[in-house]
Structures are given as C-alpha cells and as structure tokens.
C-alpha cells in the first residue's frame, strides 16, 4: 500500500467512518459511480432527527479524505479540501465512498446501524453492545448525541482497517470514549449530587433576641444557599451564655430561634420545612463558668440539610 500523509486543517475530529469489512468497502467504492458525491451534495435529509444528524456526520466524514480521486470509481471527494492525502490508495478512496453511501441511506431515513465489531479490535464488541443499548433510547431522546457516538464508533472501526490511518483510528476511539458516555448520561441521567449540610450562625446582643444587620446578612446567605443548593430542611437551634438562670436562658434561646424562623419565612422559606428548638446555656460554643457573659455563646445556628 502507498504511503499516506494526512494534514488536518480543522479542529473537528478528522473521524474517518466505518465499514463492516474492508472487502465490503472496496465493493461499494468500486460501484459508487461518478454521481455519488453529487448526490451527497444535493441530498435533502428526511426522516427522524437522528437520521438527519447521522447524515450530517457521515457526509462530513465522506468529504474528509482530501481533494483526491478514487482509483476504482473515479469519484472526487472532499470538495472543501479539509484533509490532504498523498498518494491515495484504493482502500482510502473507497472508504470515503462508503461513508457517502451511508450518509445517503441516512438521508433517506433508513435504519443505518453501527459497523460490526472486528474480532481483532480490542474491546470493540463490548463497546458496540453498549452503543446499541444506548441507541435504543438515545435515537429519540438525544438524537445529536446518538448520531455522534455512532459516527465515532464507525470512524474508529473503519480507520483501524487501514494501517496508515492508525493515528486517526486512535483519535476516533478517544472521541468515542467521551461521546458514548455523553449519550448514556443523556439516556439515563445520573442522580443529582446530594446537597451537603451547611451551618450559618447569627449572634445576638446580651439578653436580646433582636437580629442585627450582620445577622440579617447571614440569613440572606442561608436562604440563597437553600434555594440554589437543593436543601429541603432548615433546623434552627437557639443558644445563650451562662449569665442568668437556666430557666430564663432556656426561654431566651427559644425566642432567638423563633425570630430567626420568622425572618427566614419572610425571605421565602416554607414554614413546614423549618424545625425550631432552644437549648439555653447548654452546648456552649465557648466553655465558661456560670454567670459569664460570652458573645460567641449568644447565638442561633441555622443548619440546611437535604
């Protein structure tokens, strides 16, 4: 086989597409006729969104072999000159014709399946099985992603049949790893990540349950997080320092928790999603003796939970 030099001038993967077997590709190429690429240029895709997307992928690939002429069919390909080939072999030219054939079938709305997996190609059979399973739902649910994954698979398989296109085959395989995963996620989206619990603390002046401006700012951050992060439960616990009697502090801590709830409801929180409690001078943030005023102990803690 002649040496083939490939120069890519596009960022789009120079994916060269599939074939059931190289002998089939050669046969198709040999009978393609001079009008094959004219038909491709004039085709108006019909059928499903998947068929139309598949036509677009295959048609691009059919033109991605350089402005050369098939030795068997005499058909020129790649009118845009996206890839330059040196001394073109029959194999490469006929692969281009095969892609044009598949594009035209897709344009007519026919059911075009991925190429068979060659036994010699590692992991091709398993990947084809995954692809077919995803295509069953993905053709309708995510037609663009489904067409891209099928095109990538065929590109990998066919390029692997031509030793000079080994680098292109490897590029198509890498693209398939991404496009197939994208299709599978579109068909069966993974569950959303679990929202993490988050704590927000507001502080109060001595013997007070009135929120400060700083406290209101903290509650605004809490409600914004609850809205965007998916947390559905808000737990508010009021606290005091050790100044005053235990019974008085128990009541004061509950007042602090309730005023926080009132403000959060005014900000848009659902009352039924909020749980309120007070623990008085128990569970101190800063350990002190009895009768000690400590600013960091005079607080209410808001916990957002899934």
């Amino acid at each position: 086989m002649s040496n083939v030099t490939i120069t890519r001038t596009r960022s789009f993967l120079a994916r060269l597409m599939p074939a059931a077997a190289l002998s089939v590709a050669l046969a198709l190429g040999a009978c393609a006729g001079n009008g094959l690429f004219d038909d491709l240029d004039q085709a108006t895709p019909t059928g499903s969104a998947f068929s139309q997307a598949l036509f677009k992928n295959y048609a691009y690939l059919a033109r991605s072999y350089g402005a050369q002429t098939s030795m068997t069919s005499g058909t020129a390909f790649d009118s845009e000159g996206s890839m330059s080939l040196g001394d073109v072999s029959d194999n490469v030219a006929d692969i281009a014709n095969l892609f044009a054939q598949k594009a035209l079938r897709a344009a007519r709305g026919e059911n075009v399946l991925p190429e068979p997996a060659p036994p010699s190609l590692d992991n091709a059979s398993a990947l084809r099985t995954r692809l077919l399973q995803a295509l069953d739902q993905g053709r309708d649910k995510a037609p663009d992603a489904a067409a891209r994954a099928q095109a990538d698979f065929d590109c990998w398989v066919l390029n692997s049949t031509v030793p000079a296109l080994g680098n292109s085959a490897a590029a198509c395989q890498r693209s398939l790893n991404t496009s197939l995963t994208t299709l599978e996620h579109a068909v069966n989206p993974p569950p959303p990540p679990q929202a993490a619990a988050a704590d927000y603390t507001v502080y109060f002046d001595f013997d007070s349950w009135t929120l400060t401006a700083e406290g209101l700012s903290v509650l605004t951050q809490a409600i914004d997080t609850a809205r965007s992060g998916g947390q559905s439960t808000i737990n508010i616990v009021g606290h005091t320092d050790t100044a005053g009697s235990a019974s008085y502090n128990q009541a004061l801590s509950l007042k602090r928790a309730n005023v926080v709830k009132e403000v959060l409801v005014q900000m848009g929180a659902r009352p039924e999603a909020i749980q309120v409690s007070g623990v008085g001078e128990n569970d101190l943030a800063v350990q002190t003796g009895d009768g000690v005023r400590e600013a960091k102990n005079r607080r209410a803690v808001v916990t957002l939970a899934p």
Side-chain angles (χ1 to χ4, degrees):
M1 172 178 171
S2 302
N3 292 330
V4 180
T5 302
I6 301 175
T7 303
R8 306 184 186 282
T9 59
R10 293 181 183 172
S11 59
F12 188 91
L13 275 178
R15 302 165 304 153
L16 316 176
M17 301 294 287
L22 190 54
S23 60
V24 177
L26 291 171
L28 286 174
C31 65
N34 290 333
L36 180 61
F37 281 80
D38 290 337
D39 291 344
L40 193 63
D41 291 337
Q42 298 169 11
T44 300
T46 59
S48 67
F50 170 73
S51 292
Q52 294 182 46
L54 199 57
F55 164 79
K56 182 178 179 180
N57 277 271
Y58 282 145
Y60 175 85
L61 293 169
R63 298 185 178 99
S64 293
Y65 289 84
Q68 304 292 335
T69 302
S70 168
M71 295 180 181
T72 55
S73 69
T75 300
F77 46 92
D78 190 18
S79 59
E80 298 178 3
S82 64
M83 181 179 293
S84 176
L85 296 181
D87 206 10
V88 180
S89 70
D90 289 350
N91 289 2
V92 175
D94 285 314
I95 289 174
N97 289 328
L98 175 60
F99 294 155
Q101 290 273 2
K102 298 193 78 165
L104 291 171
R105 288 180 57 203
R108 293 191 294 268
E110 295 182 21
N111 183 25
V112 183
L113 293 176
E115 292 298 319
S120 59
L121 200 57
D122 290 344
N123 205 34
S125 180
L127 284 173
R128 189 176 190 273
T129 299
R130 278 178 57 192
L131 175 61
L132 290 174
Q133 291 173 345
L135 286 173
D136 283 343
Q137 294 177 281
R139 290 185 183 96
D140 295 327
K141 191 172 184 179
D144 289 338
R148 175 60 186 266
Q150 179 166 329
D152 282 340
F153 178 84
D154 286 350
C155 172
W156 171 44
V157 168
L158 185 56
N159 283 333
S160 296
T161 68
V162 180
L165 299 180
N167 289 338
S168 296
C172 294
Q173 183 181 20
R174 289 192 297 270
S175 182
L176 174 64
N177 291 335
T178 299
S179 60
L180 180 54
T181 300
T182 298
L183 174 59
E184 289 171 333
H185 284 181
V187 171
N188 296 300
Q194 188 75 9
D199 289 344
Y200 295 84
T201 303
V202 294
Y203 295 96
F204 295 86
D205 293 333
F206 177 71
D207 198 23
S208 170
W209 60 91
T210 300
L211 284 166
T212 65
E214 183 179 357
L216 288 172
S217 178
V218 171
L219 294 183
T220 299
Q221 296 175 31
I223 199 70
D224 287 345
T225 300
R227 286 174 179 146
S228 62
Q231 290 90 345
S232 59
T233 302
I234 301 175
N235 188 44
I236 306 170
V237 181
H239 301 260
T240 70
D241 58 24
T242 59
S245 69
S247 59
Y248 181 85
N249 285 336
Q250 177 62 38
L252 178 59
S253 68
L254 191 56
K255 290 178 180 179
R256 288 172 173 168
N258 277 321
V259 76
V260 170
K261 175 182 177 179
E262 291 173 7
V263 171
L264 289 177
V265 170
Q266 291 172 7
M267 291 178 172
R270 295 180 297 107
E272 61 272 19
I274 302 177
Q275 300 174 357
V276 172
S277 63
V279 295
E281 59 187 59
N282 299 308
D283 192 18
L284 300 173
V286 178
Q287 294 300 315
T288 68
D290 190 29
V292 176
R293 299 184 182 187
E294 171 53 57
K296 290 185 178 179
N297 288 333
R298 300 192 297 264
R299 70 201 193 279
V301 178
V302 180
T303 300
L304 308 178

